Structure formats: structure tokens, C-alpha cells
């Protein structure tokens, strides 16, 4: 985010807020990695580490929101600068919600450990979707830091892979429940885990959409992928 403005102070403020977003994103990335580790290994200690980071993520969102409000009030930005500030706000909100989903995974893992969920269920298969979601989150932050709409478009395309993994896993769990009703409770736990992973992928996609909004001035939320590709040429 290197474009110069009439006010060098404005530039400094934008760079500061952008740095705060990247710091917050790094913390949420760490939460996601730890949540995956806790889920795959049924590690209660790692799950607790995810939860300990949650207040800091929430605090950072509030701090960024305060800075954005202050900048808008003082500078009254227009055009691309205003788009940038709006997009930062959207991206920050999605990062906070991705952190919430990671914390939700950690809490569910703790519950599964306490309840002694049967390890015969295919919980390890969630690793594929979880790693995809984690990678999308990392790439979305990279796209945001570089303001690279090309990477952003790749993220929108890759989000479909998580949806495919999610749908396949759900079908498998339904089969388990039909074949053995005793697995219903445990299967429901895994369904909620899978849904949180799918939602993290959605938040990464939303951040990528923010990048397109900044760079191209296009609000592509709720727009079919084919239409987005057409608009971006």
C-alpha cells in the first residue's frame, strides 16, 4: 500500500492500520494452525492455546475499528482511499470471525476429548479441508498486503475445493449415522467441526473480495465466480 497522498501523515496512518491488520491476521493464522493440530491430535493443551488468543484478536479488531473511525473523521477521504478504509474494516471483521471459528473448533475439540468420542469415525479426514482453509487464509492476507487482485481471484476459485471436501465429508457422516445410530452424537460433533472449517474458508474468500474492491473498485460480494472472472477480464 505505497501510493502517496497529499498528506504524508495520512500515508503514515494508512500504513499503521494496514500493519495492524497484518499483525491481527498473523495471530488468526496461528489460531487456525493450532486448531487443526488440536483437532487432528485431540490435543487439549493446544486447544487451550487457541482459546487464550481469542481475547487478543477481539481487542485488535476493536483497536483497528477505532483507528479507522478516527481517520475517516479527521481526513474525510474520498475515492480509492475511502474504498481502502472500507475494505480494511471488512477484512478486519472477517479475520475476527475466522478467529471465532478457530476458537469454536478448539472448544468442540475439548468437548470431544471430555466425552470420549469414538476414534473410529473419520475425524482425520477433516485435515484436508482444514489445511485448505488455513492455506486460503494465509494467501488472502498475502493478497491483501500486496493488493494483488490476481491472487484474490485464485482464492475465489480455490474456495470451491473446500466446499467439495465439506459436502463429501457430510455425506460420509450421514452414511455412518444411518448404518450405526450409536454414532449420531459423535457424528454431529464432527459435522460442527466441518462447518467451522468451511466458514473459515468463506472468510478468507471475503478478504479476497475486499482486495478486488480496493484494486478494481468492484464490489463482487454475492457475485457468481464466472461473472467476477468476466469483469476482471
Amino acid at each position: 500500500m505505497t501510493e502517496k497522498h497529499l498528506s504524508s501523515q495520512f500515508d503514515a496512518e494508512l500504513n499503521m492500520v494496514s500493519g495492524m491488520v497484518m499483525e491481527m491476521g498473523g495471530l488468526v493464522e496461528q489460531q487456525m494452525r493450532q486448531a487443526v493440530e488440536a483437532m487432528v491430535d485431540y490435543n487439549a493443551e493446544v486447544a487451550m492455546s487457541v482459546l487464550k488468543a481469542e481475547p487478543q484478536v477481539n481487542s485488535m479488531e476493536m483497536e483497528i475499528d477505532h483507528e479507522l473511525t478516527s481517520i475517516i473523521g479527521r481526513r474525510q477521504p474520498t475515492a480509492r482511499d475511502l474504498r481502502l478504509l472500507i475494505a480494511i474494516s471488512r477484512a478486519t471483521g472477517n479475520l475476527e470471525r475466522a478467529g471465532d471459528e478457530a476458537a469454536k473448533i478448539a472448544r468442540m475439540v475439548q468437548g470431544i476429548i471430555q466425552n470420549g468420542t469414538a476414534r473410529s469415525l473419520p475425524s482425520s479426514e477433516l485435515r484436508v479441508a482444514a489445511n485448505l482453509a488455513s492455506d486460503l487464509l494465509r494467501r488472502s492476507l498475502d493478497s491483501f498486503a500486496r493488493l494483488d487482485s490476481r491472487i484474490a481471484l485464485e482464492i475465489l476459485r480455490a474456495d470451491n475445493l473446500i466446499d467439495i471436501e465439506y459436502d463429501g465429508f457430510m455425506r460420509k457422516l450421514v452414511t455412518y449415522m444411518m448404518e450405526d445410530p450409536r454414532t449420531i452424537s459423535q457424528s454431529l460433533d464432527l459435522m460442527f467441526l466441518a462447518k467451522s472449517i468451511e466458514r473459515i474458508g468463506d472468510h478468507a474468500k471475503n478478504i479476497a473480495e475486499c482486495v478486488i474492491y480496493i484494486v478494481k473498485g468492484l464490489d463482487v460480494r454475492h457475485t457468481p465466480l464466472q461473472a467476477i472472472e468476466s469483469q476482471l477480464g
Side-chain angles (χ1 to χ4, degrees):
M1 301 179 185
T2 58
E3 182 176 315
K4 295 298 180 183
H5 300 82
L6 294 177
S7 168
S8 59
Q9 182 61 35
F10 193 11
D11 280 320
E13 291 170 351
L14 289 175
N15 288 332
M16 179 192 68
V17 173
S18 298
M20 292 168 66
V21 173
M22 298 311 297
E23 182 182 356
M24 180 182 177
L27 183 57
V28 174
E29 272 193 89
Q30 182 181 19
Q31 277 188 298
M32 182 58 188
R33 288 194 300 270
Q34 291 176 330
V36 174
E37 180 183 349
M39 179 185 67
V40 173
D41 298 335
Y42 290 100
N43 190 317
E45 183 177 349
V46 176
M48 181 56 68
S49 296
V50 177
L51 297 176
K52 286 180 178 178
E54 187 177 19
Q56 185 179 355
V57 171
N58 294 338
S59 177
M60 293 181 78
E61 183 202 18
M62 293 177 63
E63 185 178 359
I64 293 170
D65 184 66
H66 174 76
E67 290 295 334
L68 291 173
T69 301
S70 178
I71 291 172
I72 291 173
R74 291 195 311 271
R75 306 298 179 184
Q76 298 182 348
T78 59
R80 190 175 188 275
D81 293 330
L82 184 59
R83 290 206 308 268
L84 174 59
L85 294 172
I86 292 172
I88 288 176
S89 179
R90 290 178 183 172
T92 303
N94 277 282
L95 280 175
E96 190 274 334
R97 286 188 285 276
D100 283 347
E101 294 297 340
K104 189 183 298 182
I105 291 172
R107 292 190 184 94
M108 285 188 283
V109 168
Q110 289 179 329
I112 289 172
I113 293 172
Q114 292 172 0
N115 296 333
T117 295
R119 301 298 177 87
S120 59
L121 291 173
S123 56
S124 61
E125 294 184 18
L126 284 173
R127 183 197 293 265
V128 175
N131 286 337
L132 283 171
S134 183
D135 181 62
L136 280 189
L137 184 61
R138 177 187 59 79
R139 290 167 61 195
S140 71
L141 289 169
D142 182 49
S143 173
F144 195 87
R146 299 169 182 267
L147 289 184
D148 191 327
S149 59
R150 178 186 56 83
I151 298 176
L153 182 57
E154 291 174 356
I155 292 168
L156 300 188
R157 292 169 177 152
D159 181 60
N160 291 333
L161 298 177
I162 296 179
D163 294 337
I164 292 171
E165 288 289 334
Y166 174 75
D167 291 342
F169 187 74
M170 287 298 182
R171 287 194 296 271
K172 182 169 290 189
L173 286 179
V174 169
T175 300
Y176 271 91
M177 289 187 286
M178 292 177 62
E179 293 178 349
D180 186 354
R182 292 173 298 179
T183 66
I184 289 177
S185 178
Q186 296 94 333
S187 295
L188 289 175
D189 287 337
L190 297 184
M191 282 184 172
F192 288 128
L193 283 172
K195 185 60 180 177
S196 286
I197 292 169
E198 191 260 348
R199 288 297 297 143
I200 289 172
D202 286 343
H203 291 310
K205 181 187 72 171
N206 292 345
I207 294 172
E209 290 174 346
C210 289
V211 174
I212 294 173
Y213 179 62
I214 295 170
V215 177
K216 301 293 185 180
L218 298 172
D219 190 344
V220 295
R221 292 175 296 174
H222 315 300
T223 303
L225 178 59
Q226 187 175 3
I228 296 173
E229 291 175 326
S230 176
Q231 291 181 69
L232 294 181

